[in-house]
Amino acid sequence: MPFNVIAADNVDRAAIDLLAKEAQITLIASGKLSRDQIIQALPVADALIIRSATKADAELLSHATQLKVIARAGVGVDNVDLTAATEKGIVVMNTPDGNTISTAEYTLGLMLSLARFIPNAYQDMREGRWERAAFTGVELRGKTLGIVGFGRIGRAVAKRALAFEMNVIAYDPYIPADIAADLGVWMVDLDTLFKESDFITLHSVITDETRFMINAETIDKMKHGVRIVNAARGALIHDDDLATAIKSGKVGGAALDVYQIEPPPGDNALIGLPGVLHTPHLAASTSDAQINVGIDAAKLVIDALLNGKYANVCNPAVLNR
Ligand code: MLT
Protein backbone atom coordinates (compact mmCIF):
# COMPACT_ATOMS: atom_id res chain seq x y z
CA MET A 1 0.00 0.00 0.00
CA PRO A 2 1.51 3.37 -0.96
CA PHE A 3 2.22 5.97 1.75
CA ASN A 4 1.52 9.68 1.35
CA VAL A 5 4.15 12.13 2.55
CA ILE A 6 4.06 15.92 3.00
CA ALA A 7 7.48 17.65 2.96
CA ALA A 8 6.86 21.18 4.24
CA ASP A 9 9.04 24.20 5.14
CA ASN A 10 11.15 23.98 1.97
CA VAL A 11 12.93 20.91 3.24
CA ASP A 12 16.06 20.36 1.16
CA ARG A 13 15.90 18.91 -2.36
CA ALA A 14 18.08 16.00 -1.23
CA ALA A 15 15.22 14.83 0.99
CA ILE A 16 12.71 15.09 -1.83
CA ASP A 17 14.99 13.09 -4.15
CA LEU A 18 15.41 10.36 -1.56
CA LEU A 19 11.66 10.05 -1.01
CA ALA A 20 11.00 10.06 -4.78
CA LYS A 21 13.21 6.96 -5.18
CA GLU A 22 10.81 4.89 -3.05
CA ALA A 23 8.06 3.31 -5.17
CA GLN A 24 5.83 2.92 -2.14
CA ILE A 25 5.98 6.61 -1.26
CA THR A 26 3.95 9.36 -2.91
CA LEU A 27 4.91 12.95 -2.19
CA ILE A 28 1.53 14.65 -2.00
CA ALA A 29 2.75 18.16 -1.13
CA SER A 30 6.16 19.81 -0.87
CA GLY A 31 7.83 23.21 -0.85
CA LYS A 32 7.24 26.17 1.45
CA LEU A 33 3.56 25.20 2.08
CA SER A 34 1.23 27.48 4.02
CA ARG A 35 -0.62 26.19 7.06
CA ASP A 36 -3.77 25.96 4.92
CA GLN A 37 -1.97 23.89 2.28
CA ILE A 38 -0.73 21.49 4.96
CA ILE A 39 -4.18 21.22 6.52
CA GLN A 40 -5.64 20.44 3.11
CA ALA A 41 -3.19 17.58 2.50
CA LEU A 42 -3.10 16.28 6.08
CA PRO A 43 -6.21 14.01 6.13
CA VAL A 44 -4.62 11.58 3.65
CA ALA A 45 -0.99 11.96 4.82
CA ASP A 46 0.97 9.17 6.50
CA ALA A 47 4.04 11.29 7.25
CA LEU A 48 4.84 14.98 7.65
CA ILE A 49 8.34 16.42 7.38
CA ILE A 50 8.83 19.91 8.82
CA ARG A 51 11.52 22.37 9.82
CA SER A 52 10.74 25.10 12.39
CA ALA A 53 8.23 27.21 10.43
CA THR A 54 5.28 24.81 10.67
CA LYS A 55 3.59 24.79 14.06
CA ALA A 56 2.35 21.24 14.43
CA ASP A 57 -0.03 22.18 17.23
CA ALA A 58 -3.16 20.35 18.40
CA GLU A 59 -5.36 22.25 15.95
CA LEU A 60 -3.20 21.33 12.96
CA LEU A 61 -2.93 17.71 14.11
CA SER A 62 -6.72 17.50 14.48
CA HIS A 63 -6.83 17.38 10.66
CA ALA A 64 -4.63 14.27 10.60
CA THR A 65 -6.61 11.07 10.37
CA GLN A 66 -3.97 8.56 9.31
CA LEU A 67 -0.71 10.38 10.13
CA LYS A 68 1.86 7.97 11.53
CA VAL A 69 5.00 10.06 11.83
CA ILE A 70 6.29 13.61 11.99
CA ALA A 71 9.97 14.03 11.17
CA ARG A 72 11.53 17.29 12.30
CA ALA A 73 14.45 18.24 10.02
CA GLY A 74 16.37 19.86 12.87
CA VAL A 75 16.83 19.47 16.61
CA GLY A 76 14.12 21.41 18.45
CA VAL A 77 10.61 19.95 18.59
CA ASP A 78 9.14 22.92 20.43
CA ASN A 79 7.03 23.59 17.33
CA VAL A 80 5.33 20.20 17.74
CA ASP A 81 2.64 19.52 20.35
CA LEU A 82 4.10 16.25 21.63
CA THR A 83 1.12 15.55 23.89
CA ALA A 84 -1.38 15.96 21.06
CA ALA A 85 0.80 13.84 18.77
CA THR A 86 1.09 11.09 21.38
CA GLU A 87 -2.67 11.08 21.96
CA LYS A 88 -3.18 10.57 18.24
CA GLY A 89 -0.53 7.82 18.08
CA ILE A 90 1.82 9.91 15.92
CA VAL A 91 5.53 9.22 16.40
CA VAL A 92 7.62 12.41 16.43
CA MET A 93 11.29 12.09 15.49
CA ASN A 94 14.06 14.67 15.11
CA THR A 95 17.48 14.82 13.44
CA PRO A 96 19.88 15.92 16.17
CA ASP A 97 23.18 15.53 14.30
CA GLY A 98 22.97 17.30 10.97
CA ASN A 99 23.19 20.93 12.00
CA THR A 100 25.62 20.70 14.92
CA ILE A 101 28.63 22.10 13.10
CA SER A 102 26.74 24.91 11.39
CA THR A 103 25.29 26.02 14.71
CA ALA A 104 28.63 25.80 16.49
CA GLU A 105 30.40 27.77 13.76
CA TYR A 106 27.67 30.41 13.84
CA THR A 107 28.03 30.70 17.61
CA LEU A 108 31.73 31.47 17.17
CA GLY A 109 30.76 34.00 14.50
CA LEU A 110 28.41 35.72 16.95
CA MET A 111 31.07 35.72 19.66
CA LEU A 112 33.64 37.25 17.33
CA SER A 113 31.09 39.80 16.15
CA LEU A 114 30.42 40.81 19.75
CA ALA A 115 34.10 40.90 20.64
CA ARG A 116 35.11 42.96 17.61
CA PHE A 117 31.96 44.91 16.66
CA ILE A 118 32.16 43.62 13.08
CA PRO A 119 28.49 44.19 12.08
CA ASN A 120 28.48 47.59 13.83
CA ALA A 121 31.62 48.73 11.99
CA TYR A 122 30.26 47.47 8.68
CA GLN A 123 27.04 49.42 9.17
CA ASP A 124 28.93 52.52 10.30
CA MET A 125 31.17 52.52 7.23
CA ARG A 126 28.19 51.94 4.93
CA GLU A 127 26.72 55.09 6.42
CA GLY A 128 29.80 57.01 5.26
CA ARG A 129 31.91 57.16 8.40
CA TRP A 130 35.48 55.98 9.03
CA GLU A 131 35.39 55.37 12.78
CA ARG A 132 38.05 53.26 14.43
CA ALA A 133 38.30 54.17 18.10
CA ALA A 134 34.65 53.36 18.79
CA PHE A 135 35.20 49.80 17.61
CA THR A 136 38.13 48.77 19.78
CA GLY A 137 37.31 45.23 20.78
CA VAL A 138 38.72 42.45 22.93
CA GLU A 139 40.54 39.23 22.07
CA LEU A 140 38.95 35.86 22.74
CA ARG A 141 42.31 34.39 23.78
CA GLY A 142 42.58 34.04 27.54
CA LYS A 143 38.93 34.89 28.14
CA THR A 144 36.63 32.46 29.90
CA LEU A 145 33.74 31.04 27.93
CA GLY A 146 30.87 29.54 29.90
CA ILE A 147 28.81 27.03 27.92
CA VAL A 148 25.36 26.31 29.29
CA GLY A 149 24.24 22.96 27.88
CA PHE A 150 27.03 20.59 26.91
CA GLY A 151 25.33 18.39 24.32
CA ARG A 152 26.47 17.99 20.73
CA ILE A 153 26.43 21.70 19.91
CA GLY A 154 27.91 22.82 23.24
CA ARG A 155 30.80 20.39 22.76
CA ALA A 156 31.40 21.49 19.17
CA VAL A 157 31.51 25.10 20.38
CA ALA A 158 33.99 24.11 23.10
CA LYS A 159 36.40 22.53 20.61
CA ARG A 160 36.38 25.67 18.48
CA ALA A 161 36.71 28.02 21.46
CA LEU A 162 39.70 26.02 22.71
CA ALA A 163 41.34 26.56 19.31
CA PHE A 164 40.99 30.28 20.04
CA GLU A 165 42.86 29.63 23.32
CA MET A 166 39.87 30.46 25.50
CA ASN A 167 39.37 28.88 28.92
CA VAL A 168 36.22 26.86 28.61
CA ILE A 169 33.89 25.93 31.45
CA ALA A 170 30.50 24.27 31.07
CA TYR A 171 27.33 23.52 32.95
CA ASP A 172 25.12 20.56 32.15
CA PRO A 173 23.55 18.42 34.86
CA TYR A 174 23.05 15.53 32.41
CA ILE A 175 26.60 15.19 31.03
CA PRO A 176 29.30 13.33 33.02
CA ALA A 177 32.30 15.48 33.97
CA ASP A 178 34.78 13.08 32.31
CA ILE A 179 33.31 13.81 28.85
CA ALA A 180 34.15 17.46 29.41
CA ALA A 181 37.53 16.76 30.98
CA ASP A 182 38.57 14.68 27.94
CA LEU A 183 38.02 17.80 25.83
CA GLY A 184 39.89 20.10 28.24
CA VAL A 185 36.72 21.66 29.64
CA TRP A 186 35.78 22.00 33.33
CA MET A 187 32.25 21.25 34.39
CA VAL A 188 31.09 23.73 37.01
CA ASP A 189 27.85 24.62 38.74
CA LEU A 190 25.71 27.33 37.22
CA ASP A 191 26.58 30.01 39.78
CA THR A 192 30.30 29.44 39.18
CA LEU A 193 29.75 29.64 35.43
CA PHE A 194 27.89 32.93 35.80
CA LYS A 195 30.57 34.33 38.13
CA GLU A 196 33.63 33.32 36.08
CA SER A 197 32.60 33.82 32.44
CA ASP A 198 33.55 36.70 30.15
CA PHE A 199 31.36 35.19 27.46
CA ILE A 200 28.34 32.97 28.04
CA THR A 201 26.77 30.90 25.27
CA LEU A 202 23.48 29.03 25.66
CA HIS A 203 22.90 25.57 24.17
CA SER A 204 20.07 24.16 26.28
CA VAL A 205 16.62 23.03 25.34
CA ILE A 206 13.61 24.70 26.95
CA THR A 207 12.40 22.94 30.09
CA ASP A 208 10.75 24.20 33.28
CA GLU A 209 14.28 24.53 34.70
CA THR A 210 15.84 26.41 31.80
CA ARG A 211 13.00 28.76 30.76
CA PHE A 212 14.11 32.37 31.48
CA MET A 213 17.31 31.11 33.13
CA ILE A 214 18.96 34.37 32.07
CA ASN A 215 17.03 36.87 34.20
CA ALA A 216 17.68 39.80 36.55
CA GLU A 217 18.72 37.50 39.39
CA THR A 218 21.16 35.38 37.40
CA ILE A 219 22.54 38.37 35.49
CA ASP A 220 23.32 39.91 38.87
CA LYS A 221 25.71 36.99 39.51
CA MET A 222 27.64 37.60 36.28
CA LYS A 223 30.81 39.62 35.66
CA HIS A 224 30.31 43.26 34.79
CA GLY A 225 30.49 43.54 30.98
CA VAL A 226 29.78 39.86 30.28
CA ARG A 227 28.80 39.12 26.68
CA ILE A 228 25.94 36.68 26.07
CA VAL A 229 25.24 34.61 22.94
CA ASN A 230 22.00 32.75 22.29
CA ALA A 231 21.62 30.56 19.21
CA ALA A 232 19.52 27.95 21.03
CA ARG A 233 16.01 29.05 22.03
CA GLY A 234 14.65 32.52 22.77
CA ALA A 235 12.81 31.56 25.95
CA LEU A 236 16.10 30.85 27.74
CA ILE A 237 16.35 34.61 28.23
CA HIS A 238 14.00 37.02 29.96
CA ASP A 239 14.04 39.76 27.32
CA ASP A 240 13.14 42.74 29.51
CA ASP A 241 15.69 41.79 32.17
CA LEU A 242 18.42 41.44 29.55
CA ALA A 243 17.46 44.78 27.99
CA THR A 244 17.73 46.48 31.40
CA ALA A 245 21.14 44.89 31.98
CA ILE A 246 22.39 45.98 28.55
CA LYS A 247 21.26 49.55 29.17
CA SER A 248 23.03 49.66 32.55
CA GLY A 249 26.26 48.21 31.09
CA LYS A 250 26.14 45.15 33.39
CA VAL A 251 25.91 43.04 30.23
CA GLY A 252 28.45 44.31 27.72
CA GLY A 253 26.71 42.88 24.65
CA ALA A 254 24.35 40.19 23.49
CA ALA A 255 24.15 38.33 20.20
CA LEU A 256 20.78 36.73 19.61
CA ASP A 257 19.70 34.42 16.81
CA VAL A 258 16.51 33.15 18.46
CA TYR A 259 13.45 34.74 20.07
CA GLN A 260 10.49 33.73 22.22
CA ILE A 261 8.22 34.61 19.31
CA GLU A 262 9.63 34.35 15.79
CA PRO A 263 9.69 36.77 14.11
CA PRO A 264 9.80 38.95 17.25
CA PRO A 265 7.01 41.52 17.57
CA GLY A 266 7.81 45.18 17.02
CA ASP A 267 7.77 45.98 20.75
CA ASN A 268 10.50 43.42 21.62
CA ALA A 269 12.77 45.22 24.09
CA LEU A 270 15.98 43.88 22.55
CA ILE A 271 15.55 44.52 18.84
CA GLY A 272 17.50 47.60 17.79
CA LEU A 273 18.93 48.15 21.26
CA PRO A 274 22.57 49.35 21.05
CA GLY A 275 24.78 46.52 22.30
CA VAL A 276 22.51 43.83 20.88
CA LEU A 277 23.24 42.01 17.63
CA HIS A 278 20.34 40.09 16.22
CA THR A 279 19.90 37.71 13.30
CA PRO A 280 16.78 35.82 12.16
CA HIS A 281 17.36 32.24 13.43
CA LEU A 282 20.15 31.53 10.96
CA ALA A 283 22.53 29.31 12.93
CA ALA A 284 21.54 26.11 11.12
CA SER A 285 20.94 27.83 7.80
CA THR A 286 23.78 26.46 5.71
CA SER A 287 23.36 24.37 2.60
CA ASP A 288 25.46 21.69 4.33
CA ALA A 289 23.22 21.51 7.41
CA GLN A 290 20.00 21.61 5.45
CA ILE A 291 21.13 18.76 3.20
CA ASN A 292 22.17 16.77 6.29
CA VAL A 293 18.94 17.25 8.24
CA GLY A 294 16.78 16.82 5.12
CA ILE A 295 18.40 13.49 4.29
CA ASP A 296 18.19 12.36 7.92
CA ALA A 297 14.49 13.28 8.10
CA ALA A 298 13.69 11.51 4.81
CA LYS A 299 15.51 8.37 6.02
CA LEU A 300 13.57 8.44 9.29
CA VAL A 301 10.28 8.59 7.38
CA ILE A 302 11.24 5.83 4.95
CA ASP A 303 12.39 3.54 7.75
CA ALA A 304 9.27 4.20 9.81
CA LEU A 305 6.74 3.75 7.00
CA LEU A 306 8.38 0.92 5.08
CA ASN A 307 10.16 -0.99 7.85
CA GLY A 308 8.30 -0.01 11.02
CA LYS A 309 11.60 1.17 12.52
CA TYR A 310 11.82 4.36 14.56
CA ALA A 311 14.87 6.34 15.70
CA ASN A 312 15.32 9.61 17.61
CA VAL A 313 11.79 9.36 18.96
CA CYS A 314 10.86 12.49 20.94
CA ASN A 315 7.62 11.11 22.41
CA PRO A 316 8.63 7.53 23.35
CA ALA A 317 5.37 7.00 25.28
CA VAL A 318 3.63 6.70 21.90
CA LEU A 319 5.42 3.40 21.22
CA ASN A 320 3.96 1.78 24.34
CA ARG A 321 0.35 2.49 23.47
C1 MLT B 1 16.97 23.38 15.27
O1 MLT B 1 16.21 23.24 16.22
O2 MLT B 1 17.31 22.42 14.57
C2 MLT B 1 17.50 24.72 14.92
O3 MLT B 1 17.04 25.71 15.78
C3 MLT B 1 17.29 25.10 13.50
C4 MLT B 1 15.87 25.01 13.07
O4 MLT B 1 14.98 25.49 13.75
O5 MLT B 1 15.63 24.40 12.03
Side-chain angles (χ1 to χ4, degrees):
M1 180 184 126
F3 295 103
N4 294 331
V5 177
I6 304 173
D9 297 345
N10 270 335
V11 70
D12 194 85
R13 183 81 230 163
I16 307 291
D17 291 346
L18 212 55
L19 293 164
K21 277 192 200 146
E22 296 294 337
Q24 283 171 276
I25 286 184
T26 308
L27 202 56
I28 54 169
S30 64
K32 192 157 184 258
L33 300 187
S34 66
R35 187 173 173 94
D36 283 350
Q37 287 172 311
I38 295 173
I39 286 173
Q40 226 169 12
L42 214 42
V44 294
D46 298 291
L48 170 65
I49 302 180
I50 54 173
R51 291 176 58 201
S52 56
T54 295
K55 306 295 169 229
D57 51 28
E59 196 283 319
L60 186 120
L61 296 181
S62 71
H63 300 273
T65 53
Q66 60 183 55
L67 195 68
K68 296 165 187 62
V69 294
I70 295 177
R72 163 72 164 97
V75 188
V77 284
D78 39 348
N79 55 328
V80 181
D81 186 329
L82 293 179
T83 310
T86 306
E87 273 165 15
K88 289 187 75 87
I90 302 165
V91 181
V92 180
M93 300 174 285
N94 70 349
T95 59
D97 291 317
N99 58 26
T100 301
I101 302 304
S102 291
T103 305
E105 289 181 356
Y106 198 76
T107 300
L108 266 292
L110 292 176
M111 276 171 54
L112 286 165
S113 298
L114 275 184
R116 304 300 302 272
F117 304 106
I118 297 167
N120 319 60
Y122 164 79
Q123 186 62 30
D124 200 66
M125 201 173 154
R126 273 204 70 164
E127 288 165 9
R129 287 180 288 275
W130 181 260
E131 181 59 72
R132 298 179 69 215
F135 299 123
T136 304
V138 294
E139 292 183 348
L140 296 186
R141 182 181 61 162
K143 303 297 184 302
T144 297
L145 171 64
I147 302 179
V148 180
F150 208 57
R152 292 176 176 80
I153 297 170
R155 295 202 284 270
V157 169
K159 282 187 197 162
R160 285 152 184 80
L162 289 166
F164 277 92
E165 300 180 53
M166 299 187 84
N167 308 315
V168 183
I169 57 178
Y171 167 77
D172 192 321
Y174 304 104
I175 302 286
D178 56 334
I179 291 192
D182 287 350
L183 288 173
V185 172
W186 294 110
M187 286 299 234
V188 294
D189 61 57
L190 205 45
D191 279 359
T192 305
L193 185 141
F194 289 147
K195 193 164 142 238
E196 302 288 330
S197 300
D198 301 294
F199 290 80
I200 293 174
T201 182
L202 308 176
H203 298 288
S204 302
V205 294
I206 299 292
T207 63
D208 289 345
E209 285 161 12
T210 63
R211 187 177 304 276
F212 303 137
M213 70 187 311
I214 304 299
N215 56 46
E217 197 185 324
T218 53
I219 290 172
D220 207 41
K221 297 176 182 168
M222 296 177 192
K223 275 190 184 176
H224 188 87
V226 62
R227 292 169 169 90
I228 299 175
V229 173
N230 188 11
R233 281 298 177 262
L236 294 170
I237 293 181
H238 189 289
D239 290 353
D240 290 343
D241 288 0
L242 178 60
T244 303
I246 295 262
K247 285 182 202 156
S248 74
K250 169 76 186 185
V251 171
L256 310 173
D257 186 48
V258 286
Y259 311 89
Q260 280 173 60
I261 302 170
E262 297 186 355
D267 62 353
N268 181 295
L270 293 161
I271 306 301
L273 189 68
V276 179
L277 302 177
H278 33 74
T279 54
H281 203 146
L282 292 179
S285 292
T286 62
S287 50
D288 311 84
Q290 289 314 313
I291 290 170
N292 291 341
V293 295
I295 289 176
D296 288 352
K299 283 184 180 163
L300 286 174
V301 164
I302 292 167
D303 230 21
L305 294 181
L306 304 192
N307 307 321
K309 287 193 185 149
Y310 303 98
N312 309 334
V313 177
C314 304
N315 58 340
V318 75
L319 299 174
N320 305 322
R321 282 162 45 102

